[in-house]
Amino acid sequence: MNPGMLRETIEIYDRGDETQENGYFSGEPKLLCTLRAHRTYSGGGRELWEGDAAKMYSQVSFLIRPREGLRAGMLVKCEGQWHEIMSVQKPATRSGAMTLRTMLKEAF
C-alpha cells in the first residue's frame, strides 16, 4: 500500500460490552488506537438516485493497514465526526490493507 494515500488521522474507540437495562452502552468510550487512513465516500463513480444522494456522505469507508482486534460496533473519530463501524473487511485486491465500512453517527 502506498503510504502517501494515508492522509487522514483517525482514532478508534471501544465502547466495551457493558449495557444498561435500557439497552444503551454505559460509560465513555475508551481510546484504543490512533491510525492513518484513506477516506472514501460510498457511491463514488456510479450514478446516484435522489434517495441515495441524501445518505451518500453518511456512509464512509476507511482504508487502513491491517490491525487485530477491530470489530463492528466500535467507534471511529475523524475530524470531529463520530462514525460507527458496520463491517471490517480485508479486500482481496489489496494485500496489506483493511477496510472499515462506517456510518455517520448523528447523536452520541
XYZ file of all heavy atoms in Angstrom:
856
model
N 0.847 -1.171 0.000
C 0.000 0.000 0.000
C 0.893 1.234 0.000
O 1.885 1.295 0.709
C -0.908 -0.016 1.219
C -1.770 1.186 1.285
S -2.922 1.354 2.666
C -2.937 -0.161 3.486
N 0.503 2.211 -0.766
C 1.247 3.449 -0.874
C 1.026 4.297 0.388
O -0.101 4.684 0.680
C 0.777 4.211 -2.111
C 1.530 5.485 -2.339
O 2.415 5.836 -1.573
N 1.175 6.183 -3.405
N 2.085 4.605 1.157
C 1.899 5.390 2.375
C 1.374 6.802 2.116
O 0.784 7.418 2.998
C 3.299 5.459 2.996
C 4.119 4.476 2.284
C 3.451 4.172 0.985
N 1.563 7.324 0.908
C 1.067 8.652 0.585
C -0.444 8.731 0.528
O -1.022 9.814 0.600
N -1.120 7.581 0.397
C -2.588 7.560 0.387
C -3.173 7.816 1.773
O -4.293 8.305 1.896
C -3.095 6.199 -0.100
C -2.909 5.936 -1.558
S -3.477 4.280 -2.023
C -5.091 4.189 -1.295
N -2.450 7.449 2.815
C -2.977 7.505 4.180
C -2.817 8.917 4.731
O -1.902 9.220 5.483
C -2.255 6.477 5.051
C -2.256 5.053 4.513
C -1.453 4.150 5.419
C -3.666 4.542 4.331
N -3.743 9.786 4.369
C -3.645 11.208 4.720
C -4.470 11.603 5.935
O -4.267 12.661 6.497
C -4.076 12.052 3.530
C -3.167 11.862 2.356
C -3.560 12.736 1.217
N -2.640 12.534 0.112
C -2.891 12.855 -1.119
N -4.037 13.421 -1.420
N -2.008 12.637 -2.056
N -5.426 10.798 6.312
C -6.307 11.120 7.432
C -5.783 10.471 8.717
O -5.272 9.354 8.684
C -7.723 10.599 7.184
C -8.348 11.065 5.914
C -8.847 12.483 5.979
O -9.140 12.967 7.085
O -8.935 13.110 4.926
N -5.928 11.152 9.831
C -5.648 10.568 11.134
C -6.980 10.256 11.799
O -7.825 11.136 11.936
C -4.850 11.540 12.020
O -3.624 11.850 11.350
C -4.539 10.926 13.362
N -7.171 8.990 12.158
C -8.415 8.578 12.802
C -8.098 7.986 14.169
O -7.006 7.495 14.406
C -9.211 7.559 11.948
C -8.407 6.274 11.722
C -9.626 8.176 10.628
C -9.206 5.178 11.055
N -9.082 8.054 15.046
C -8.967 7.457 16.366
C -10.043 6.382 16.488
O -11.200 6.625 16.141
C -9.156 8.503 17.455
C -8.095 9.574 17.450
C -8.379 10.677 18.446
O -9.538 10.814 18.912
O -7.438 11.417 18.762
N -9.658 5.217 16.978
C -10.588 4.112 17.162
C -10.915 4.029 18.654
O -10.013 3.980 19.487
C -9.981 2.767 16.695
C -9.439 2.870 15.276
C -10.991 1.642 16.844
C -10.478 2.954 14.199
N -12.211 4.010 18.975
C -12.676 3.938 20.358
C -13.467 2.650 20.551
O -14.191 2.207 19.656
C -13.584 5.126 20.693
C -12.854 6.427 20.812
C -12.577 7.204 19.698
C -12.437 6.886 22.052
C -11.902 8.408 19.804
C -11.763 8.103 22.173
C -11.506 8.851 21.040
O -10.842 10.038 21.151
N -13.334 2.075 21.744
C -14.084 0.871 22.099
C -15.119 1.245 23.144
O -14.789 1.887 24.142
C -13.131 -0.198 22.641
C -13.807 -1.539 22.813
O -14.960 -1.700 22.354
O -13.175 -2.432 23.405
N -16.357 0.840 22.901
C -17.429 1.145 23.854
C -17.530 0.098 24.946
O -18.242 0.284 25.907
C -18.773 1.220 23.132
C -18.851 2.359 22.176
C -20.238 2.560 21.718
N -20.604 1.559 20.741
C -21.712 1.606 20.034
N -22.552 2.576 20.206
N -21.974 0.669 19.153
N -16.852 -1.027 24.767
C -16.958 -2.102 25.741
C -18.219 -2.919 25.517
O -18.962 -2.716 24.557
N -18.462 -3.857 26.399
C -19.613 -4.740 26.260
C -20.691 -4.494 27.304
O -21.692 -5.188 27.331
C -19.151 -6.202 26.350
C -18.247 -6.578 25.193
O -18.423 -5.995 24.102
O -17.382 -7.442 25.375
N -20.472 -3.530 28.182
C -21.445 -3.269 29.231
C -22.621 -2.462 28.690
O -22.446 -1.426 28.070
C -20.786 -2.498 30.374
C -19.656 -3.247 31.034
C -19.010 -2.421 32.122
O -19.644 -1.474 32.611
O -17.867 -2.733 32.471
N -23.822 -2.956 28.926
C -25.026 -2.229 28.527
C -25.913 -2.026 29.746
O -25.908 -2.817 30.682
C -25.820 -2.980 27.443
O -26.124 -4.291 27.924
C -25.028 -3.090 26.162
N -26.666 -0.956 29.719
C -27.616 -0.677 30.792
C -28.880 -1.496 30.560
O -29.034 -2.160 29.539
C -27.937 0.809 30.820
C -26.733 1.674 31.074
C -27.057 3.153 30.938
O -28.151 3.526 30.541
N -26.102 3.987 31.284
N -29.817 -1.411 31.483
C -31.059 -2.171 31.339
C -31.908 -1.681 30.168
O -32.733 -2.413 29.655
C -31.881 -2.135 32.628
C -32.293 -0.756 33.076
C -31.259 -0.062 33.949
O -30.229 -0.662 34.263
O -31.505 1.096 34.289
N -31.682 -0.431 29.700
C -32.444 0.077 28.562
C -31.802 -0.288 27.225
O -32.315 0.056 26.171
C -32.623 1.592 28.668
C -31.305 2.327 28.708
O -30.242 1.735 28.556
N -31.379 3.631 28.917
N -30.646 -0.972 27.238
C -30.015 -1.434 26.005
C -28.923 -0.535 25.470
O -28.234 -0.895 24.534
N -28.736 0.651 26.068
C -27.697 1.566 25.620
C -26.385 1.257 26.331
O -26.374 0.755 27.443
C -28.101 3.023 25.871
C -29.213 3.485 24.985
C -30.517 3.565 25.459
C -28.973 3.835 23.667
C -31.549 3.987 24.646
C -29.993 4.260 22.845
C -31.271 4.330 23.336
O -32.288 4.734 22.523
N -25.278 1.598 25.674
C -23.972 1.380 26.276
C -23.759 2.359 27.419
O -24.201 3.502 27.370
C -22.862 1.550 25.237
C -22.815 0.443 24.241
C -23.393 0.591 22.995
C -22.212 -0.761 24.549
C -23.363 -0.427 22.076
C -22.174 -1.791 23.636
C -22.756 -1.628 22.397
N -23.080 1.907 28.462
C -22.819 2.767 29.606
C -21.375 3.245 29.584
O -20.491 2.584 29.069
C -23.080 2.000 30.906
O -22.206 0.895 30.989
N -21.153 4.400 30.133
C -19.807 4.927 30.248
C -19.316 5.592 28.981
O -19.970 5.612 27.951
N -18.126 6.156 29.087
C -17.492 6.836 27.968
C -16.678 5.843 27.142
O -16.119 4.897 27.687
C -16.564 7.936 28.495
C -17.277 9.100 29.122
C -18.071 9.899 28.121
O -17.556 10.144 27.009
O -19.204 10.275 28.433
N -16.593 6.051 25.836
C -15.742 5.173 25.020
C -14.275 5.382 25.364
O -13.859 6.478 25.737
C -16.049 5.589 23.590
C -16.725 6.897 23.675
C -17.300 7.040 25.036
N -13.495 4.305 25.252
C -12.072 4.351 25.573
C -11.261 4.338 24.290
O -11.521 3.531 23.394
C -11.695 3.155 26.435
C -12.388 3.154 27.770
C -12.076 1.903 28.540
C -12.950 1.884 29.783
N -13.012 0.586 30.399
N -10.258 5.199 24.209
C -9.394 5.266 23.042
C -8.586 3.983 22.943
O -7.888 3.597 23.865
C -8.459 6.476 23.137
C -7.480 6.656 21.982
C -8.224 6.933 20.689
C -6.518 7.780 22.275
N -8.711 3.312 21.805
C -7.996 2.063 21.571
C -6.689 2.312 20.825
O -5.637 1.818 21.210
C -8.889 1.098 20.781
C -8.367 -0.293 20.531
C -8.204 -1.030 21.843
C -9.319 -1.045 19.639
N -6.747 3.109 19.741
C -5.542 3.388 18.961
C -5.781 4.592 18.043
O -6.913 4.991 17.800
C -5.125 2.173 18.140
S -6.363 1.613 16.980
N -4.689 5.141 17.535
C -4.718 6.211 16.549
C -4.042 5.681 15.297
O -2.943 5.147 15.374
C -3.985 7.455 17.063
O -4.608 7.882 18.277
C -4.051 8.586 16.067
N -4.701 5.803 14.139
C -4.208 5.228 12.891
C -4.220 6.267 11.775
O -4.910 7.276 11.860
C -5.096 4.054 12.451
C -5.271 2.895 13.416
C -6.332 1.951 12.898
C -3.966 2.173 13.606
N -3.497 5.979 10.716
C -3.544 6.746 9.474
C -4.455 5.991 8.515
O -4.432 4.759 8.463
C -2.156 6.895 8.879
C -1.149 7.564 9.786
C -1.408 9.005 10.008
N -1.215 9.736 8.763
C -1.487 11.002 8.610
N -1.981 11.695 9.595
N -1.295 11.589 7.467
N -5.271 6.721 7.748
C -6.264 6.079 6.887
C -6.497 6.888 5.619
O -6.130 8.058 5.527
C -7.578 5.921 7.643
N -7.128 6.237 4.659
C -7.589 6.867 3.423
C -9.111 6.812 3.446
O -9.700 5.732 3.528
C -7.042 6.119 2.205
C -7.561 6.646 0.906
N -7.181 7.865 0.398
C -8.431 6.114 0.017
C -7.804 8.061 -0.754
N -8.568 7.009 -1.000
N -9.771 7.974 3.394
C -11.232 8.043 3.489
C -11.853 8.130 2.108
O -11.423 8.920 1.266
C -11.625 9.255 4.314
C -13.122 9.476 4.378
C -13.527 10.573 5.282
N -12.740 11.789 5.080
C -12.902 12.887 5.798
N -13.790 12.926 6.768
N -12.171 13.952 5.563
N -12.892 7.332 1.871
C -13.681 7.406 0.645
C -15.158 7.357 1.014
O -15.541 6.699 1.978
C -13.370 6.251 -0.329
O -13.599 5.010 0.338
C -11.944 6.297 -0.830
N -15.961 8.063 0.241
C -17.409 8.054 0.448
C -18.034 7.004 -0.455
O -17.525 6.710 -1.526
C -18.011 9.432 0.145
C -17.544 10.494 1.087
C -16.544 11.388 0.717
C -18.078 10.594 2.361
C -16.103 12.362 1.589
C -17.641 11.567 3.241
C -16.653 12.446 2.849
O -16.221 13.398 3.718
N -19.148 6.454 -0.028
C -19.820 5.451 -0.851
C -20.419 6.107 -2.084
O -20.700 7.304 -2.112
C -20.939 4.775 -0.055
O -21.980 5.695 0.181
N -20.571 5.333 -3.101
C -21.218 5.832 -4.304
C -20.296 6.507 -5.275
O -20.757 7.053 -6.268
N -19.005 6.474 -5.042
C -18.096 7.119 -5.969
C -18.076 6.417 -7.313
O -17.922 5.218 -7.396
N -18.275 7.161 -8.403
C -18.182 6.595 -9.739
C -19.465 5.990 -10.271
O -19.522 5.568 -11.400
N -20.524 5.930 -9.501
C -21.768 5.368 -10.019
C -22.860 6.431 -9.929
O -22.758 7.383 -9.183
C -22.174 4.117 -9.257
C -22.542 4.348 -7.826
C -23.000 3.045 -7.174
N -23.178 3.206 -5.766
C -24.314 3.531 -5.172
N -25.401 3.758 -5.884
N -24.390 3.649 -3.869
N -23.894 6.217 -10.696
C -24.997 7.176 -10.666
C -25.727 7.065 -9.336
O -25.915 5.989 -8.793
C -25.979 6.886 -11.798
C -25.423 7.225 -13.154
C -26.468 7.060 -14.229
O -27.671 7.005 -13.906
O -26.073 6.974 -15.389
N -26.141 8.206 -8.834
C -26.855 8.238 -7.575
C -28.299 8.665 -7.810
O -28.560 9.630 -8.514
C -26.208 9.237 -6.608
C -24.806 8.881 -6.134
C -24.233 10.035 -5.333
C -24.850 7.638 -5.290
N -29.189 7.920 -7.222
C -30.587 8.315 -7.248
C -30.803 9.314 -6.133
O -29.959 9.511 -5.269
C -31.488 7.099 -7.076
C -31.314 6.136 -8.206
C -30.516 5.037 -8.232
C -31.918 6.210 -9.497
N -30.572 4.410 -9.435
C -31.446 5.110 -10.246
C -32.798 7.084 -10.104
C -31.831 4.874 -11.547
C -33.186 6.836 -11.397
C -32.709 5.746 -12.111
N -31.922 9.958 -6.138
C -32.185 11.020 -5.178
C -32.090 10.533 -3.738
O -31.504 11.187 -2.891
C -33.587 11.584 -5.426
C -33.683 13.045 -5.151
C -35.015 13.591 -5.614
O -35.242 13.659 -6.821
O -35.810 13.921 -4.734
N -32.634 9.370 -3.447
C -32.575 8.829 -2.088
C -31.170 8.457 -1.684
O -30.769 8.639 -0.536
N -30.383 7.917 -2.617
C -29.007 7.554 -2.311
C -28.130 8.781 -2.117
O -27.203 8.761 -1.320
C -28.415 6.687 -3.423
C -29.032 5.307 -3.478
O -29.558 4.871 -2.427
O -29.002 4.675 -4.538
N -28.397 9.837 -2.850
C -27.586 11.049 -2.745
C -27.710 11.675 -1.363
O -26.757 12.254 -0.853
C -27.995 12.049 -3.814
N -28.885 11.561 -0.750
C -29.098 12.146 0.562
C -28.248 11.470 1.632
O -27.800 12.105 2.573
C -30.568 12.058 0.938
N -28.003 10.169 1.489
C -27.241 9.459 2.509
C -25.815 9.122 2.078
O -25.104 8.436 2.786
C -27.960 8.189 2.926
C -28.095 7.151 1.850
C -28.819 5.929 2.365
C -28.908 4.890 1.258
N -29.549 3.695 1.691
N -25.380 9.630 0.927
C -24.060 9.283 0.406
C -22.945 9.650 1.371
O -22.028 8.871 1.608
C -23.818 9.976 -0.926
C -22.478 9.692 -1.522
S -22.326 10.499 -3.108
C -20.735 11.230 -2.928
N -22.989 10.823 1.959
C -21.908 11.273 2.817
C -22.004 10.710 4.228
O -21.138 10.979 5.046
C -21.838 12.790 2.832
C -21.391 13.335 1.501
C -22.272 13.970 0.647
C -20.072 13.171 1.089
C -21.850 14.450 -0.585
C -19.646 13.643 -0.143
C -20.543 14.283 -0.970
O -20.115 14.740 -2.193
N -23.034 9.943 4.548
C -23.103 9.327 5.859
C -22.442 7.947 5.859
O -22.160 7.406 6.912
C -24.549 9.213 6.335
O -25.262 8.324 5.517
N -22.178 7.376 4.681
C -21.509 6.084 4.572
C -20.072 6.316 4.121
O -19.831 6.769 3.014
C -22.227 5.187 3.576
C -23.642 4.889 3.970
C -24.391 4.130 2.889
O -23.854 3.870 1.821
N -25.621 3.792 3.171
N -19.132 6.025 5.008
C -17.723 6.302 4.757
C -16.921 5.014 4.920
O -17.186 4.233 5.825
C -17.191 7.374 5.737
C -15.737 7.684 5.477
C -18.024 8.633 5.649
N -15.946 4.814 4.042
C -15.020 3.691 4.161
C -13.633 4.239 4.451
O -13.208 5.223 3.855
C -14.982 2.882 2.863
O -16.210 2.274 2.624
N -12.940 3.587 5.377
C -11.573 3.949 5.714
C -10.665 2.784 5.347
O -10.880 1.667 5.801
C -11.428 4.248 7.208
C -12.181 5.465 7.655
C -13.411 5.350 8.271
C -11.657 6.733 7.456
C -14.102 6.465 8.699
C -12.346 7.858 7.872
C -13.571 7.728 8.497
N -9.664 3.039 4.527
C -8.672 2.036 4.155
C -7.481 2.214 5.092
O -6.907 3.310 5.161
C -8.245 2.211 2.699
C -7.262 1.196 2.160
C -7.937 -0.161 2.029
C -6.730 1.638 0.809
N -7.138 1.160 5.832
C -6.052 1.229 6.812
C -5.125 0.035 6.622
O -5.427 -0.881 5.863
C -6.593 1.234 8.260
C -7.357 -0.058 8.548
C -7.452 2.453 8.517
C -7.721 -0.246 9.996
N -4.001 0.058 7.322
C -3.141 -1.119 7.378
C -3.794 -2.131 8.307
O -4.497 -1.757 9.248
C -1.766 -0.734 7.884
C -1.008 0.097 6.878
C 0.460 0.170 7.249
N 1.193 0.798 6.177
C 1.641 2.050 6.210
N 1.413 2.793 7.262
N 2.300 2.548 5.194
N -3.568 -3.431 8.081
C -4.216 -4.453 8.914
C -3.877 -4.293 10.396
O -2.754 -3.980 10.757
C -3.655 -5.762 8.369
C -3.224 -5.455 6.994
C -2.779 -4.036 7.005
N -4.889 -4.505 11.213
C -4.727 -4.409 12.666
C -5.680 -5.394 13.320
O -6.849 -5.475 12.951
C -5.025 -2.997 13.131
C -4.824 -2.823 14.605
C -4.805 -1.367 14.958
N -4.585 -1.230 16.375
C -3.411 -0.953 16.908
N -2.361 -0.797 16.142
N -3.288 -0.816 18.211
N -5.191 -6.114 14.302
C -6.007 -7.090 15.027
C -6.889 -6.384 16.055
O -6.543 -5.322 16.562
C -5.106 -8.103 15.742
C -4.294 -8.970 14.807
C -5.160 -9.875 13.948
O -6.186 -10.387 14.447
O -4.809 -10.061 12.776
N -8.009 -6.992 16.368
C -8.873 -6.500 17.432
C -9.945 -5.523 17.020
O -10.739 -5.112 17.851
N -10.011 -5.129 15.762
C -11.071 -4.219 15.314
C -12.300 -5.041 14.969
O -12.204 -6.087 14.341
C -10.605 -3.408 14.109
C -9.392 -2.509 14.327
C -9.054 -1.775 13.047
C -9.628 -1.543 15.457
N -13.471 -4.544 15.377
C -14.712 -5.282 15.124
C -15.865 -4.291 14.918
O -15.740 -3.102 15.220
C -15.010 -6.230 16.277
C -15.291 -5.547 17.582
C -15.537 -6.541 18.717
N -16.018 -5.874 19.890
C -15.276 -5.190 20.737
N -13.992 -5.068 20.539
N -15.817 -4.611 21.796
N -16.955 -4.810 14.419
C -18.151 -3.990 14.223
C -18.659 -3.506 15.577
O -18.573 -4.213 16.576
C -19.222 -4.804 13.515
N -19.165 -2.286 15.594
C -19.687 -1.697 16.819
C -18.738 -0.712 17.465
O -19.145 0.077 18.312
N -17.463 -0.737 17.078
C -16.516 0.232 17.606
C -16.762 1.584 16.945
O -17.454 1.672 15.939
C -15.078 -0.220 17.353
C -14.660 -1.387 18.182
S -12.929 -1.740 17.883
C -12.585 -2.797 19.254
N -16.185 2.630 17.509
C -16.390 3.983 17.013
C -15.105 4.519 16.396
O -14.012 4.223 16.863
C -16.824 4.907 18.143
C -18.129 4.545 18.836
C -18.334 5.407 20.063
C -19.290 4.691 17.886
N -15.261 5.326 15.347
C -14.144 5.987 14.687
C -14.396 7.493 14.775
O -15.493 7.958 14.473
C -14.040 5.563 13.199
C -12.955 6.348 12.489
C -13.807 4.077 13.076
N -13.375 8.243 15.194
C -13.485 9.698 15.241
C -12.536 10.265 14.199
O -11.339 10.009 14.231
C -13.128 10.230 16.616
C -13.377 11.704 16.773
C -13.112 12.137 18.190
C -13.410 13.612 18.360
N -13.084 14.048 19.721
N -13.083 11.018 13.244
C -12.300 11.605 12.169
C -12.765 13.045 11.979
O -13.944 13.282 11.673
C -12.473 10.808 10.882
S -11.547 11.449 9.492
N -11.870 13.987 12.156
C -12.158 15.410 12.007
C -13.362 15.854 12.828
O -14.231 16.583 12.358
C -12.344 15.775 10.538
C -11.093 15.594 9.712
C -11.276 16.021 8.270
O -12.408 16.374 7.884
O -10.275 16.004 7.553
N -13.467 15.356 14.047
C -14.537 15.754 14.954
C -15.864 15.061 14.731
O -16.805 15.309 15.465
N -15.961 14.196 13.740
C -17.197 13.457 13.481
C -17.046 12.030 13.977
O -15.984 11.426 13.853
C -17.520 13.439 11.994
C -17.879 14.783 11.432
C -18.244 14.685 9.973
O -17.725 13.860 9.237
N -19.155 15.546 9.548
N -18.133 11.490 14.513
C -18.147 10.123 15.013
C -18.784 9.208 13.977
O -19.837 9.534 13.408
C -18.928 10.037 16.318
C -18.233 10.678 17.460
C -18.376 11.960 17.892
C -17.267 10.078 18.313
N -17.557 12.194 18.966
C -16.866 11.054 19.252
C -16.697 8.811 18.377
C -15.929 10.792 20.246
C -15.762 8.558 19.370
C -15.381 9.534 20.286
N -18.165 8.071 13.733
C -18.669 7.049 12.831
C -18.709 5.732 13.590
O -17.836 5.465 14.417
C -17.738 6.880 11.616
C -17.502 8.140 10.851
N -18.249 8.488 9.759
C -16.609 9.146 11.022
C -17.818 9.638 9.287
N -16.814 10.059 10.039
N -19.700 4.908 13.295
C -19.779 3.575 13.890
C -19.373 2.545 12.854
O -19.858 2.576 11.717
C -21.188 3.285 14.389
C -21.289 1.958 15.089
C -22.652 1.719 15.701
O -23.547 2.570 15.555
O -22.821 0.660 16.329
N -18.483 1.633 13.218
C -18.013 0.606 12.292
C -19.126 -0.414 12.075
O -19.620 -1.015 13.023
C -16.744 -0.089 12.822
C -15.611 0.921 12.970
C -16.332 -1.232 11.896
C -14.348 0.356 13.592
N -19.518 -0.588 10.808
C -20.529 -1.575 10.447
C -19.895 -2.908 10.054
O -20.456 -3.960 10.333
C -21.388 -1.059 9.278
C -22.196 0.158 9.600
S -23.480 -0.250 10.773
C -23.313 1.069 11.919
N -18.754 -2.856 9.376
C -18.066 -4.091 8.999
C -16.580 -3.833 8.836
O -16.155 -2.718 8.538
C -18.642 -4.672 7.702
O -18.340 -3.839 6.614
N -15.801 -4.883 9.037
C -14.352 -4.854 8.854
C -14.039 -5.877 7.768
O -14.378 -7.043 7.896
C -13.616 -5.215 10.160
C -12.112 -5.220 9.955
C -14.009 -4.258 11.276
N -13.408 -5.425 6.682
C -13.159 -6.298 5.530
C -11.693 -6.240 5.130
O -11.056 -5.196 5.239
C -14.008 -5.866 4.338
C -15.482 -5.860 4.625
C -16.275 -5.212 3.501
O -15.717 -4.508 2.682
N -17.569 -5.467 3.484
N -11.198 -7.384 4.657
C -9.858 -7.451 4.075
C -10.026 -7.673 2.588
O -10.329 -8.776 2.153
C -9.061 -8.572 4.709
C -8.761 -8.333 6.168
C -7.918 -9.413 6.748
C -7.693 -9.141 8.221
N -6.927 -10.193 8.871
N -9.869 -6.629 1.768
C -10.108 -6.775 0.331
C -9.073 -7.695 -0.315
O -7.893 -7.660 0.016
C -10.002 -5.355 -0.213
C -9.354 -4.560 0.843
C -9.510 -5.272 2.138
N -9.535 -8.503 -1.251
C -8.652 -9.437 -1.946
C -7.752 -8.726 -2.950
O -6.708 -9.236 -3.313
C -9.483 -10.491 -2.660
N -8.156 -7.543 -3.398
C -7.393 -6.834 -4.420
C -6.163 -6.141 -3.854
O -5.240 -5.843 -4.590
C -8.268 -5.784 -5.118
O -8.778 -4.875 -4.140
C -9.411 -6.453 -5.853
N -6.154 -5.868 -2.557
C -5.026 -5.151 -1.958
C -4.473 -5.967 -0.798
O -5.131 -6.143 0.211
C -5.465 -3.795 -1.430
C -5.874 -2.870 -2.511
C -6.147 -1.523 -1.951
N -6.393 -0.622 -3.059
C -6.052 0.637 -3.055
N -5.482 1.156 -2.018
N -6.303 1.385 -4.096
N -3.257 -6.442 -0.948
C -2.629 -7.126 0.177
C -2.079 -6.080 1.132
O -1.624 -5.016 0.730
C -1.513 -8.033 -0.320
O -0.531 -7.267 -0.962
N -2.138 -6.371 2.405
C -1.661 -5.420 3.392
C -2.609 -4.270 3.632
O -2.180 -3.189 4.031
N -3.900 -4.465 3.401
C -4.891 -3.404 3.609
C -6.129 -3.979 4.286
O -6.412 -5.169 4.189
C -5.280 -2.769 2.284
N -6.837 -3.117 4.956
C -8.088 -3.483 5.622
C -9.054 -2.324 5.431
O -8.652 -1.159 5.462
C -7.815 -3.726 7.099
C -9.018 -4.084 7.911
S -8.597 -4.289 9.659
C -7.912 -5.912 9.645
N -10.325 -2.621 5.228
C -11.343 -1.594 5.014
C -12.328 -1.595 6.177
O -12.848 -2.644 6.548
C -12.105 -1.847 3.700
O -11.169 -1.870 2.631
C -13.127 -0.759 3.444
N -12.563 -0.405 6.734
C -13.579 -0.217 7.762
C -14.761 0.490 7.113
O -14.632 1.629 6.667
C -13.042 0.635 8.911
C -11.780 0.163 9.618
C -11.357 1.191 10.650
C -12.000 -1.182 10.254
N -15.897 -0.163 7.034
C -17.112 0.466 6.493
C -17.893 1.036 7.666
O -18.224 0.325 8.613
C -17.940 -0.542 5.728
C -17.180 -1.149 4.583
C -18.055 -1.339 3.377
N -17.301 -1.949 2.311
C -16.811 -1.279 1.290
N -17.017 0.006 1.209
N -16.141 -1.893 0.343
N -18.187 2.338 7.600
C -18.788 3.015 8.735
C -20.024 3.811 8.331
O -20.232 4.103 7.152
C -17.784 3.990 9.393
O -17.467 5.032 8.463
C -16.512 3.280 9.818
N -20.816 4.166 9.319
C -21.963 5.060 9.164
C -21.779 6.228 10.123
O -21.362 6.047 11.260
C -23.268 4.355 9.516
C -23.707 3.308 8.529
S -24.284 3.998 6.986
C -25.813 4.725 7.470
N -22.106 7.413 9.664
C -22.005 8.616 10.480
C -23.011 8.551 11.606
O -24.176 8.207 11.395
C -22.258 9.849 9.603
C -22.101 11.197 10.266
C -20.658 11.428 10.667
C -22.557 12.284 9.317
N -22.571 8.859 12.826
C -23.471 8.876 13.972
C -23.943 10.301 14.176
O -23.134 11.198 14.375
C -22.767 8.375 15.226
C -22.512 6.882 15.190
C -22.115 6.348 16.516
C -23.146 6.412 17.574
N -24.253 5.509 17.505
N -25.227 10.506 14.127
C -25.811 11.840 14.311
C -25.763 12.272 15.772
O -25.495 13.410 16.072
C -27.246 11.873 13.799
C -27.359 11.602 12.319
C -26.713 12.670 11.473
O -26.707 13.846 11.870
O -26.189 12.319 10.404
N -26.052 11.359 16.669
C -26.042 11.662 18.099
C -25.234 10.598 18.810
O -25.201 9.456 18.393
C -27.464 11.680 18.644
N -24.587 10.999 19.874
C -23.732 10.053 20.579
C -24.355 9.642 21.876
O -24.925 10.278 22.615
C -22.357 10.684 20.820
C -21.392 9.717 21.368
C -20.786 8.778 20.567
C -21.107 9.728 22.709
C -19.892 7.907 21.088
C -20.216 8.855 23.240
C -19.601 7.938 22.432
